[in-house]
Amino acid sequence: MSTLLESIYGIALEAGVAIMDRYHGNIQVSEKADSSPVTEADLAANTIIVEQLKALTPDIPILSEESAHTPWPERQHWSSFWLVDPLDGTKEFLRKNGEFTVNIALIENGKPILAVVHAPALDKTWLGDSEKAWLQTKAGRDPIKSRPATVPTVVGSRSHPSPDMENYLEQLGEHKMTEVGSSLKFCLVAEGRAQYYPRLGPTMMWDTAAGQCIAESAGATVKQLNGEVLSYHREDLLNPHFLVAI
């Protein structure tokens, strides 16, 4: 484990504490321009992450869901940058089902090379460095690896069902289906608890980068439906549809 990854892990934990401090209280919700919800927990976690990343790596720019987004004419020259979703799964946070995460990924030449996905309500953290992936729990830290199954499990979105999913599942054949929120879907594939995560609805860059790194570090692939790798060096913050698979 690199020192940098350990530092990101510590930042994610601190952001998780700030989120959980607000989880059981009276949650104040605002609506962003795209009609998606944002809470005090999102903003508090964002402040912690952005301030600490700036202190840790002052020369690496940051693109976060909850901060002003640097325009493409400047961003296109970034060879590396941090991609952050301080609270992925705000709808799950509001439902109090525990299925929300802190996502921090380091992007280099369009590829996520280092990442942490922290689920504070579940007391679990997934870490990846492009070569290996780990799951951290109270019991300790163990390596994880994606793996096939005789009857594959497909993981899908709890809050964003897609009309195209039914057609995909028919083509897949025999399978099991499970639903879970946020970037936890990537992590289930990384752990070998699921084999496919088809995303046939909208996601943003910050929703997927950390999870993609965890899944790829565990041996899975994350590709657009045309077979191209999902890259993060692009103007559009909206992701194309993609498939996570073993």
Side-chain angles (χ1 to χ4, degrees):
M1 292 290 292
S2 70
T3 302
L4 183 56
L5 187 54
E6 288 293 350
S7 297
I8 305 167
Y9 171 54
I11 294 171
L13 290 183
E14 189 170 335
V17 170
I19 290 170
M20 294 307 294
D21 283 346
R22 294 157 175 82
Y23 186 49
H24 299 293
N26 182 22
I27 302 172
Q28 299 296 317
V29 186
S30 302
E31 191 173 274
K32 293 190 286 189
D34 63 359
S35 298
S36 62
V38 62
T39 71
E40 182 187 357
D42 294 76
L43 302 179
N46 188 64
T47 297
I48 289 168
I49 295 168
V50 170
E51 288 183 353
Q52 294 204 22
L53 286 179
K54 284 181 177 178
L56 180 67
T57 55
D59 296 329
I60 300 179
I62 303 166
L63 179 62
S64 172
E65 178 180 12
E66 305 304 345
S67 297
H69 301 153
T70 303
W72 176 244
E74 179 180 346
R75 195 161 42 85
Q76 66 178 324
H77 301 294
W78 292 357
S79 59
S80 62
F81 65 98
W82 293 106
L83 190 47
V84 174
D85 192 339
L87 203 173
D88 181 29
T90 301
K91 291 182 179 179
E92 316 304 334
F93 175 79
L94 293 171
R95 291 170 181 155
K96 298 184 183 294
N97 64 17
E99 296 177 357
F100 51 89
T101 59
V102 177
N103 298 345
I104 305 175
L106 179 60
I107 309 298
E108 191 171 276
N109 297 321
K111 177 180 173 60
I113 62 165
L114 205 69
V116 169
V117 172
H118 175 52
L122 305 179
D123 206 10
K124 292 182 177 182
T125 309
W126 295 262
L127 308 96
D129 67 358
S130 295
E131 295 182 357
K132 295 181 181 179
W134 299 264
L135 170 61
Q136 176 80 49
T137 65
K138 288 183 177 179
R141 183 176 298 178
D142 297 303
I144 54 175
K145 193 74 176 174
S146 60
R147 58 182 182 270
T150 303
V151 178
T153 294
V154 180
V155 63
S157 174
R158 187 182 301 284
S159 295
H160 303 279
S162 166
D164 295 326
M165 180 67 85
E166 184 176 350
N167 182 52
Y168 173 83
L169 295 176
E170 287 180 358
Q171 295 181 23
L172 181 63
E174 185 181 6
H175 65 276
K176 301 174 184 176
M177 184 73 194
T178 187
E179 295 180 341
V180 67
S182 70
S183 57
L184 292 171
K185 294 180 282 293
F186 288 95
C187 299
L188 289 181
V189 176
E191 284 187 56
R193 295 166 58 193
Q195 284 68 47
Y196 298 102
Y197 165 33
R199 186 61 187 220
L200 307 177
T203 56
M204 305 299 288
M205 278 188 181
W206 42 75
D207 295 322
T208 59
Q212 176 174 347
C213 183
I214 303 299
E216 291 178 338
S217 298
T221 60
V222 183
K223 294 185 177 181
Q224 302 177 49
L225 301 187
N226 63 6
E228 295 181 8
V229 174
L230 184 60
S231 171
Y232 295 88
H233 183 72
R234 62 175 197 268
E235 179 175 6
D236 195 351
L237 299 175
L238 180 67
N239 287 325
H241 293 176
F242 61 85
L243 174 65
V244 184
I246 50 91

